[in-house]
Amino acid sequence: MVQTPSKDSPAPQPATNRIGLTQADYKGSPSTLCDGCGHDAITAQIIKAFYEVGLEPHQIAKLSGIGCSSKTPAYFLNRSHGFNSCHGRMPSVATGANLANDTLTLIGVSGDGDTASIGLGQFCHLIRRNVPIIYIIENNGVYGLTKGQFSATADFGSKLKTGVINDLPPIDLCGLAIELGCGFVARSFAGDPKQLVALLKAAASFKGSAVLDVISPCVTFNNHEGSTKSYKYAKEMETPLHELGYIPFYEQITVDYDHGTEQDVELHDGSHLRLKKLGHDYDATDRLGAINTIQQANIEKKFLTGLLYINENKPSFPDLLHLVDKPLAALTEAETRPPKEVLEQIMASYK
Ligand SMILES: Cc1ncc(C[n+]2csc(CCOP(=O)(O)OP(=O)(O)O)c2C)c(N)n1
Ligand code: SF4
Ligand SMILES: [Mg+2]
């Protein structure tokens, strides 16, 4: 017989993470996007990943540009800081935010239009500087917000609902990011929650620009036959390079992995990312190998997902600038003023 809880028994408490917060504490406002939009699936995985890693929401800043994708920071982490910037200009705001307070974890959400079209220059300079940020491109191959025109990531020969064929080659943002020296480059799919959560957690532990290009179907304008950014196409064509496992720094790391079939990468905060090979002999630390693999996949029209490239040794923007430990935004006026002797030394050096 099923026991019904008595009126007086306490209601079951929701599960909490290592800092005592529930998953609901990482949510935002209800989404206003179309039902089934890939962007909402990514939002759900961002909430899960941040909850599981156990970051303090007030230590996070959400940044975005303009587009359906750029609206999504409103739908997660409503206790965090946020700045919805101009179209394609999120990287400048992120760079400023990082300089003002480099203790914040930055998460930037952009679209393929926002990043690969109007914001391409900004994206390049953010990567070149290695500004620490989890940079997510919610890639649907179209400008969803302005009713579905091709973006610069649309594949050559892919078709709009209206029958228009794309006659321009796509920009591969992962290939470009590696070329520009990015130390964390991954590709995933909104319909692959397990892989996406592991990548998001690893990106949150990485000290530098972490680029995640996530294929995120636009159900209203780009989910038909002839589209290469539809759920059907991505599900049928997805070829994961490896199976990803993330072990946070606060969990005991077991060392019983098979070196022949797994690659283990230690991240900046002591967390580990374990890459279990899936038939491919892929080394995610080999930069030229990664560029080659991406180009080959594009020729063969393969949709490769996983961690394409990682380099833990590149100095981040704040390291390069030798910033003081205290966030610049918290320095008092007196602390920003060099002492008289130092000013005199500087003046003397110009003589
Ligand atoms: C300076 C400027 N130019 C053009 C626009 C019009 N506009 C708004 S969103 C957008 C493209 C959005 O596409 P994407 O970044 O791929 O986001 P999605 O809606 O597909 O998620 C454009 C061109 C704008 N808002 N501002
Ligand atoms: S128009 Fe496309 S990208 Fe925008 S919310 Fe709808 S399905 Fe998503
Ligand atoms: Mg788009």
Side-chain angles (χ1 to χ4, degrees):
M1 205 178 84
V2 180
Q3 294 271 317
T4 46
S6 86
K7 254 199 338 198
D8 302 325
S9 59
Q13 293 299 305
T16 52
N17 63 7
R18 71 187 175 101
I19 57 164
L21 297 180
T22 67
Q23 190 153 320
D25 294 321
Y26 291 79
K27 289 188 175 166
S29 311
S31 170
T32 56
L33 303 186
C34 308
D35 277 349
C37 176
H39 302 349
D40 279 339
I42 299 173
T43 295
Q45 302 324 317
I46 293 173
I47 292 168
K48 189 164 190 278
F50 276 82
Y51 163 71
E52 287 181 2
V53 171
L55 288 176
E56 292 277 8
H58 71 272
Q59 281 297 342
I60 300 166
K62 311 174 287 181
L63 306 146
S64 62
I66 299 290
C68 298
S69 34
S70 293
K71 286 168 69 177
T72 65
Y75 314 142
F76 60 84
L77 289 167
N78 66 359
R79 293 190 188 179
S80 301
H81 308 276
F83 198 111
N84 184 198
S85 75
C86 303
H87 197 19
R89 269 57 179 172
M90 180 260 280
S92 296
V93 178
T95 306
N98 176 244
L99 286 178
N101 186 349
D102 67 336
T103 66
L104 293 177
T105 298
L106 304 187
I107 174 162
V109 182
S110 180
D112 39 312
D114 197 64
T115 289
S117 298
I118 194 167
L120 190 61
Q122 295 245 330
F123 174 71
C124 293
H125 290 283
L126 174 116
I127 305 269
R128 220 178 127 241
R129 293 188 167 118
N130 203 17
V131 176
I133 183 171
I134 308 163
Y135 192 114
I136 302 170
I137 303 135
E138 300 191 341
N139 187 350
N140 53 19
V142 286
Y143 301 161
L145 191 72
T146 54
K147 299 203 176 299
Q149 303 84 351
F150 278 128
S151 79
T153 65
D155 286 312
F156 180 81
S158 61
K159 201 192 266 184
L160 282 184
K161 254 165 72 168
T162 53
V164 176
I165 306 274
N166 182 31
D167 51 10
L168 291 173
I171 293 176
D172 188 311
L173 291 168
C174 289
L176 180 62
I178 297 175
E179 172 69 34
L180 292 164
C182 188
F184 186 113
V185 182
R187 177 162 283 144
S188 193
F189 169 42
D192 189 344
K194 195 167 165 249
Q195 184 193 63
L196 188 51
V197 165
L199 286 170
L200 283 164
K201 289 182 187 173
S205 296
F206 185 78
K207 203 174 162 204
S209 305
V211 168
L212 274 84
D213 179 28
V214 187
I215 302 306
S216 176
C218 167
V219 288
T220 303
F221 296 111
N222 204 15
N223 196 34
H224 47 269
E225 209 55 47
S227 160
T228 58
K229 302 278 192 282
S230 65
Y231 278 111
K232 184 169 180 283
Y233 186 91
K235 269 186 196 149
E236 282 173 9
M237 304 301 278
E238 185 182 5
T239 315
L241 280 169
H242 29 232
E243 202 180 288
L244 290 149
Y246 174 84
I247 306 140
F249 67 90
Y250 52 84
E251 265 178 29
Q252 185 88 38
I253 167 120
T254 50
V255 286
D256 60 337
Y257 67 95
D258 180 349
H259 290 266
T261 57
E262 293 188 6
Q263 187 173 20
D264 198 74
V265 184
E266 184 170 350
L267 300 160
H268 292 110
D269 65 357
S271 304
H272 281 248
L273 190 58
R274 200 158 271 182
L275 311 167
K276 191 170 167 196
K277 291 180 187 169
L278 288 177
H280 312 270
D281 198 16
Y282 190 71
D283 175 6
T285 62
D286 174 3
R287 185 165 179 264
L288 292 181
I291 293 174
N292 203 22
T293 302
I294 292 171
Q295 298 215 349
Q296 195 59 35
N298 290 343
I299 292 168
E300 293 170 12
K301 301 196 181 346
K302 270 192 189 160
F303 171 36
L304 286 185
T305 62
L307 183 67
L308 295 164
Y309 179 61
I310 187 152
N311 174 6
E312 287 279 285
N313 301 321
K314 207 186 154 190
S316 69
F317 191 44
D319 289 344
L320 279 172
L321 295 178
H322 304 293
L323 287 187
V324 289
D325 288 341
K326 195 170 174 184
L328 296 190
L331 293 177
T332 60
E333 197 183 328
E335 284 170 318
T336 60
R337 196 177 297 133
K340 193 164 175 284
E341 317 77 79
V342 175
L343 278 178
E344 280 168 359
Q345 273 173 23
I346 294 170
M347 294 312 288
S349 72
Y350 291 122
K351 282 187 184 155

